[in-house]
Amino acid sequence: MSPPPRAPDAPAAGPAAAERGVLAFWREVERCRSAPLGGKARAGAVARLDRWLEHGGARVALLGPGGRGKSVLLGAWALELARAGRHEVAFVPVSCRFGTALKPTALNLLYARVAPFLRSPRRAGERPHGVEETRRDLAIMLEEGRPPEDRPLVLILDGFDEAVTWTPDAAQRFLRDLGPGVRAVLSARSPEALGGLPEETEVVALPPIAADEIAEAIGRRLGDLPASVKDDVARVSGGEPLLVEALLEALSRDLAAVGTALASAPVGASGVLDLCAGGSILSVLPWLAGALGPIEGEELFAISTVSVGAWNELIGPLVAAGETGLALRHPAWVEAALARIAPHQRAAVDRRFADHGKRAFASGTVSEYACRNWRAHLERIDASLTERLDLVSSAWLDVWRTRPDGSSGFIADVDATAACAASLLIDAAAGGDVVAALAERRTARVRASSMTRTATSSGRSTRSAPSPNILTTIGDAACLCATRSVTSSRTPTTTVANASPCATPTGA
């Protein structure tokens, strides 16, 4: 059966970069469907998903290690559901490779996909503004559900454990109470990676590929090879489709060398990494792994400490060179690349990314990547509040204003910075309740000012980005939070600006 003309959930609205990433995801699904691996394992998992859809509860989780093929399976299953026409389908891939792993991006995509099928608490044409409003609206809409005469909605969140700047358990909160006619499918490596599973969630485990299916795949791709090579591919890959595919590509390029090295290669992604990424490309991988989404090669080179020559080798099964930039093809490669370096080296990579955002902001030449990911990189290094204050400046607002979703993105940065300030004040103050209340009032006032309504030329009501004079107030409030000394009879005076770094708040 030929695929539908478009993905079953492709909306007209949404940031262009995120939508390009989603389209790239669907192209990858179609590519993998054309040469599927592990047909028996996939068929069993699909049968269980079908049984759940007919007779199961509100939620199901598809679990399996990274590289097992969960995304391709769910993508293909979603396309079949859309073709059958018995369900509405809303599919969101949460993926660093495709640039959809950040909290604002994923929630905006999810809202755009479910809004046509659920009743919004807002007036026609009005959308939530900022992360918290979006999450709150989603919870309300999903809890209300669908009328009994309408087709049920199947909500599929793939790669939930790849989320960046939010914890999976917090992200699941808007799925806690699903109303009538709404079913949810999550995929992740394990229940622990999801922060636990709600009660009555059915679990479908996706098994690895059997050795005989690996041998068949080798025969189709490379012809008749010695049984020892087939056995080595099965052993080193552990039956993981991602690793099998990478080894087949490596063998097709240099059968003699790779076939010989396979005999002594260690099991797992690290061993496959050595076979597929020889030479100087290994020094590049940690920098690709440190990126939080697709990034232009020239920008990544400027961030890294790697020589120019290494970048000429970025080809093969590990690196995807797409429309929006370079990225490692799969989180399994990210994990394997980062496992090869010491903790202090990983910290140095993260710091270089954070410093790149600061330099770009200071120079006035902020790339798309830096605009959308600087805050996340600051959070990754647990940057101090002082380092984050640029995120609430009028100059940073000017950066966001050039993006189609600039107001929403800027408010997400303001919210995160305010949360960091509040957490430091609470930790530092004996009278934490009073200080927290003051911080909450500041944040509420900033957000209310930021979301002033304006009338567009079409007459629809929208929300404008904050004006520069409002941003002066935001900056003053943030600086006050950052530099004020909090004193009590039980604790010594503490200067919050130089306090220990802010961690991402629980439930963020």
Side-chain angles (χ1 to χ4, degrees):
M1 182 181 295
S2 61
R6 65 186 182 100
D9 57 342
E19 295 300 342
R20 287 199 301 270
V22 172
L23 290 176
F25 168 83
W26 287 111
R27 286 194 292 268
E28 182 69 6
V29 169
E30 287 301 313
R31 183 189 71 81
C32 294
R33 289 178 74 202
S34 65
L37 292 171
K40 295 178 183 176
R42 291 162 59 86
V46 167
R48 290 196 59 186
L49 288 172
D50 288 339
R51 286 197 296 272
W52 164 80
L53 194 59
E54 291 295 326
H55 308 294
R59 302 173 193 82
V60 66
L62 178 67
L63 303 180
R68 184 63 58 89
K70 301 182 295 294
S71 296
V72 173
L73 186 148
L74 284 180
W77 187 63
L79 291 172
E80 292 302 323
L81 291 184
R83 287 195 189 98
R86 295 174 53 201
H87 301 83
E88 305 291 0
V89 181
F91 192 110
V92 176
V94 182
S95 167
C96 285
R97 171 185 171 182
F98 299 108
T100 60
L102 292 176
K103 176 165 57 175
T105 304
L107 286 180
N108 284 336
L109 286 171
L110 178 58
Y111 186 91
R113 280 144 176 74
V114 304
F117 309 120
L118 300 174
R119 191 165 69 89
S120 171
R122 299 179 180 274
R123 291 182 294 187
E126 182 184 353
R127 288 192 57 158
H129 214 64
V131 169
E132 292 309 316
E133 281 194 14
T134 303
R135 184 160 56 184
R136 185 167 56 248
D137 283 11
L138 281 169
I140 293 171
M141 294 159 67
L142 292 169
E143 184 175 1
E144 181 174 329
R146 300 266 288 167
E149 65 272 15
D150 290 348
R151 291 185 295 187
L153 171 65
V154 179
L155 170 61
I156 304 174
L157 292 170
D158 175 54
F160 223 31
D161 50 343
E162 283 194 60
V164 177
T165 71
W166 56 332
T167 56
D169 59 326
Q172 286 192 77
R173 288 176 186 173
F174 58 80
L175 300 174
R176 183 171 296 163
D177 299 307
L178 298 178
V182 178
R183 318 285 292 281
V185 184
L186 306 177
S187 78
R189 289 164 292 177
S190 65
E192 293 74 24
L194 285 171
L197 292 172
E199 292 183 7
E200 300 180 356
T201 300
E202 189 169 335
V203 173
V204 175
L206 182 59
I209 306 175
D212 60 335
E213 290 186 274
I214 294 175
E216 292 175 6
I218 293 173
R220 290 194 304 268
R221 178 84 172 267
L222 302 173
D224 189 20
L225 296 183
S228 60
V229 174
K230 298 176 182 178
D231 292 341
D232 285 335
V233 170
R235 176 185 63 82
V236 174
S237 69
E240 303 296 344
L242 177 76
L243 305 187
V244 172
E245 184 177 355
L247 288 174
L248 291 182
E249 184 166 340
L251 285 167
S252 68
R253 293 184 175 188
D254 193 339
L255 179 59
V258 175
T260 301
L262 264 174
S264 58
V267 174
S270 180
V272 177
L273 201 66
D274 286 327
L275 292 170
C276 298
S280 56
I281 189 177
L282 289 173
S283 63
V284 175
L285 296 181
W287 299 98
L288 281 165
L292 299 176
I295 183 170
E296 293 293 337
E298 184 176 346
E299 185 174 7
L300 186 59
F301 170 68
I303 296 170
S304 79
T305 58
V306 179
S307 63
V308 177
W311 300 96
N312 297 327
E313 299 185 24
L314 290 182
I315 56 175
L318 305 180
V319 181
E323 182 182 354
T324 55
L326 298 172
L328 289 176
R329 288 187 177 275
H330 198 277
W333 301 133
V334 174
E335 294 173 8
L338 293 177
R340 303 172 68 90
I341 60 176
H344 74 277
Q345 292 173 310
R346 179 171 182 175
V349 170
D350 290 337
R351 169 54 73 176
R352 294 276 297 193
F353 274 95
D355 289 346
H356 169 70
K358 183 176 182 178
R359 288 194 304 271
F361 176 63
S363 68
T365 55
V366 180
S367 67
E368 185 74 11
Y369 179 88
C371 177
R372 299 191 179 280
N373 294 282
W374 185 24
R375 172 171 62 87
H377 281 296
L378 288 172
E379 292 178 353
R380 178 172 274 191
I381 65 169
D382 285 344
S384 69
L385 180 58
T386 302
E387 291 181 274
R388 305 183 194 207
L389 289 182
D390 285 332
L391 298 175
V392 295
S393 67
S394 57
W396 188 242
L397 169 62
D398 290 339
V399 171
W400 270 111
R401 274 179 168 159
T402 63
R403 274 73 185 179
D405 56 338
S407 182
S408 177
F410 176 75
I411 288 173
D413 288 348
V414 170
D415 283 349
T417 307
C420 176
S423 67
L424 284 176
L425 288 169
I426 291 168
D427 290 342
D433 292 343
V434 175
V435 177
L438 290 172
E440 185 177 0
R441 285 179 61 189
R442 285 193 187 97
T443 304
R445 187 166 61 248
V446 166
R447 298 191 85 260
S449 300
S450 300
M451 297 186 295
T452 304
R453 296 179 185 276
T454 60
T456 65
S457 58
S458 63
R460 292 176 58 187
S461 178
T462 59
R463 286 169 176 163
S464 66
S467 61
N469 61 320
I470 291 174
L471 265 293
T472 301
T473 304
I474 297 174
D476 290 345
C479 288
L480 179 61
C481 288
T483 58
R484 179 180 175 184
S485 295
V486 183
T487 311
S488 76
S489 59
R490 289 183 294 169
T491 57
T493 300
T494 304
T495 302
V496 182
N498 297 316
S500 58
C502 306
T504 302
T506 302

